[in-house]
Amino acid sequence: MRHLITTAIDACPTGGHVALAFLDVDHFKDVNDTLGHAAGDELLVQLAQRLREQIGPEDMLGRLGGDEFVVLLPHRNAQDAERVAAGITEALAVPLRLGSKLMPMSASIGISLYPDHATDIDTLMQQADAAMYMAKQAGRSTHCMFSVEMNGLAEQRLAMIAALRRAIADNALSLFYQPQIRSCDGAIHGVEALARWHDAALGDVSPAKFIPLAEECGLIEQIGLWSVREACRQMATWRRAGLNIPSVSVNLSPLNFRNVALAARLKDVLTECALPPHVLMLEITEGTFMQDGAAALETMHAIRELGVGLSVDDFGTGYSSLSRLAHLPIRELKIDRSFMRDIDRNAGALTIATAVVRVGQGLGLTVVAEGVETESQRKMLAELGCDVVQGFLYAPALAPVAFERWLIEHCAEQAKAMLGRLDLNPAGVAAVKRSA
Ligand code: C2E
Ligand code: CA
Ligand code: CA
């Protein structure tokens, strides 16, 4: 392909253009994982046919490897190239037929332009790649034209990936713990472990930023396994110190569930830390079991077999079918915090929150409400019979030492409240004695 690009550039008259488009199939790995490599190959063949139908006789199509294609468009300016890209996106919108299955398919396309953006092949290819990444960021199934600002963004992203890789290798990530409280009596139900990253140059980087990045660049598998190990190590330390924390919830990415050895790894960690399996809960999102992943489902069943719990996080924001949910080996539903908003002020919001809580209750699952910030939200949830609440009302995620302090204080308050209820404060005890 390189020599074709060189030839096109060399033949480009002054004032003319050559456009280079990089195309990457969206979620191609899912096809391979769920339908097998033969289906994946067949899909790429059909995709190439569709691409060919969208380009002119002078244009050239090449495969860069995997699910990446390059389209060379000689004598085309930015507008022409964008028109071709839009045509490709539209052509791919019609599902492909794989045997008896209709497969929806889309691709992200990045375009760079000779000589406007660069005059050498390597830079043009890098620019088309950066633009393709932007198309992915923009929600996929679209195209993006390279712009100079993308250079800065692409560099920032690479620097952040390098820093994250280093942080993982140096064991510089940490886990903070947020308490989960039982509605019936205010006792601690468990903790959620949330990853934290402080980088000397970048400062505190939010997991909302570095977790998706880790998912894109193949680091999430390591982070997930590290979180499980670290959370279990911390739980073992707390148990040895006599702190009673019934369970720890660890967030795992859908990608962790593609690893069929996950259950075996969990077993090893639990054995190493001498923890019973019910102490560990894994939070997964609806995406984990939505894409019809047979491997993910098998892993989920193996985990349930082991005695480790599975909890569906951010419930209500995905598209899981309720009948599907009933057949999954899960123990807990976490109602997304977006449902807490206005629950105490707006009848509509309360109706929706009620429905979501009832789904969990109907399926016999523990229902956890997250993002509970106010006493009136807590009260409404308690009235709904929501089993567990978690949120800033009690505490944010805390470093282990700060969490220990919080827990001791919380237990002391609990004990005081209980004494009050039993009327067993010293004056109460005296009153009991007198009346006896
Ligand atoms: P999540 O699992 O839904 O975690 C809950 C997020 O809500 C946490 O943000 C938590 O600090 C925040 N939060 C808790 N209580 C409240 C509240 O009352 N009000 C509000 N407004 N927010 C509250 P955080 O720690 O920034 O984590 C963001 C997301 O990053 C998590 O969402 C989770 O999806 C992901 N994440 C964090 N740690 C890990 C990890 O170790 N592995 C993986 N795969 N994902 C992680
Ligand atoms: Ca979570
Ligand atoms: Ca959540």
Side-chain angles (χ1 to χ4, degrees), residues 1 3-5 7-9 11-13 16-20 51-62 70-77 80 84:
M1 197 70 201
H3 74 274
L4 290 176
I5 303 174
T7 313
I9 286 175
C12 185
H17 294 93
V18 178
L20 192 64
L51 293 180
R52 239 172 256 124
E53 285 162 14
Q54 293 304 315
I55 60 178
E58 280 186 69
D59 305 331
M60 274 161 275
L61 173 69
V70 57
V71 184
L72 180 67
L73 305 163
H75 316 299
R76 311 270 202 145
N77 62 21
D80 299 335
V84 173

Side-chain angles (χ1 to χ4, degrees), residues 384-402:
L384 283 181
C386 183
D387 306 290
V388 179
V389 286
Q390 173 184 351
F392 295 168
L393 174 66
Y394 291 97
L398 298 165
V401 176

